[in-house]
Amino acid sequence: MQGMKLVSNVVAFAALVLSHQIFADTATETGKAPGDAAKGQEIATQVCAACHNADGNSSIPANPSLAGQHAEYIIKQLKNFKSQDGKPAERESPIMAAMVAPLSPDDMKNLAAYYAQQTPKPGVAKDKLLAEQGEKIYRGGNLETSVPACSGCHSPNGAGIPTSYPRLAGQHSEYVAAQLRAFRTEQRTKDANNEMHIIATRMSEREMQAVSEFISGLR
Ligand code: HEC
Ligand code: HEC
């Protein structure tokens, strides 16, 4: 029975990797028009800096750093925070829902261009032992529970792969762990076939904390 379970897990994992290949091909079509970073900076300074800092390197663990994040990914998240046609937002956040409400599609592009150009500050993991456990998951996943290696989509150094796979390197561990929980409960992405939802449902709380700690010091 153990053997059967492992085989079905490997098949499920292969399907996951395959579906992400298809995703990657279609995603390159989007986000071609570059935004105006100078216009983006105006809004960033007036509105967003209070929580994400002027250069997008947030100093508050609950607020993500945006510096160096891929523009297409930022645009997608800003859209996902908005509720469309009376349906609940794809990504639930009362704070960010209020922030995106007044933004036009051009504002979003401009903000994304600004943050993508900022230099991310490298972080340091606070708990070295926990980070070592997290590194194993990041680079090798967990074969027994079919958790794929994070590095396959987010790249070995955490820089991500535009346009679909966000940068993770140096992100606050508290924020990363909160997002993994949000993917699990579908507070983020209402799609049961979403790759991050599937991955997060296979992870233990301990694994989430470990991999988040590792990511916070990854560079
Ligand atoms: C009052 C604090 C606050 C302000 C002001 C704010 N944000 Fe945020 N932002 C947050 C928090 C908290 C989150 C995490 C939400 C979650 O848990 O999903 C977030 C998440 C984001 C994300 C998702 C990042 C990722 O890695 O997925 C983007 C993009 C973002 N904010 C952009 C902006 C922009 C652009 C502005 C200005 C128009 C702004 N924020 C203003 C608090 C704030
Ligand atoms: C099959 C590809 C794939 C794999 C493997 C993968 N991810 Fe992701 N990840 C994604 C995609 C796509 C997104 C963007 C989701 C969106 O657009 O909202 C994402 C988003 C994230 C985010 C949100 C980042 C932010 O700024 O809010 C975190 C955190 C994350 N992944 C962590 C992980 C961890 C930890 C692992 C390994 C256990 C992992 N991912 C493995 C594809 C993947």
Side-chain angles (χ1 to χ4, degrees):
M1 282 313 281
Q2 263 313 93
M4 276 302 291
K5 186 159 182 283
L6 195 62
V7 168
S8 73
N9 280 347
V10 170
V11 171
F13 175 56
L16 195 65
V17 171
L18 202 69
S19 73
H20 115 244
Q21 295 295 353
I22 296 162
F23 256 107
D25 289 343
T26 50
T28 48
E29 298 299 312
T30 59
K32 273 188 187 139
D36 182 334
K39 282 189 186 159
Q41 183 171 16
E42 279 176 32
I43 306 176
T45 310
Q46 286 164 19
V47 185
C48 325
C51 295
H52 295 285
N53 280 13
D55 68 348
N57 283 292
S58 135
S59 42
I60 302 164
N63 301 345
S65 282
L66 305 174
Q69 187 56 274
H70 314 304
E72 295 84 355
Y73 170 79
I74 293 180
I75 293 168
K76 177 175 183 285
Q77 298 314 306
L78 294 175
K79 283 187 188 150
N80 286 359
F81 285 124
K82 258 195 186 179
S83 56
Q84 309 273 11
D85 313 321
K87 281 188 241 150
E90 189 68 21
R91 180 171 175 183
E92 286 171 30
S93 165
I95 297 173
M96 280 307 300
M99 293 300 147
V100 295
L103 299 180
S104 71
D106 275 345
D107 291 337
M108 291 184 183
K109 270 190 208 161
N110 298 342
L111 281 158
Y114 172 69
Y115 286 120
Q117 286 176 12
Q118 304 310 303
T119 309
K121 273 198 197 120
V124 182
K126 286 174 233 124
D127 185 334
K128 298 282 173 228
L129 262 175
L130 191 61
E132 274 172 31
Q133 293 169 14
E135 178 164 19
K136 294 198 182 102
I137 300 162
Y138 191 87
R139 305 206 182 284
N142 183 342
L143 190 63
E144 258 172 65
T145 50
S146 290
V147 173
C150 319
S151 56
C153 291
H154 294 283
S155 80
N157 67 359
I161 307 170
T163 54
S164 301
Y165 307 112
R167 176 188 173 82
L168 297 179
Q171 189 57 273
H172 299 297
S173 61
E174 288 87 340
Y175 169 77
V176 174
Q179 293 311 304
L180 292 172
R181 291 184 204 110
F183 281 122
R184 183 169 55 193
T185 58
E186 295 188 25
Q187 259 176 294
R188 188 171 168 178
T189 65
K190 309 270 174 266
D191 175 4
N193 294 319
N194 176 270
E195 54 223 305
M196 283 310 303
H197 170 68
I198 296 169
I199 292 167
T201 51
R202 293 174 183 171
M203 294 178 79
S204 68
E205 176 62 28
R206 175 77 185 175
E207 285 179 318
M208 289 187 183
Q209 283 174 12
V211 82
S212 302
E213 191 64 22
F214 172 68
I215 285 168
S216 71
L218 181 60
R219 48 183 84 183

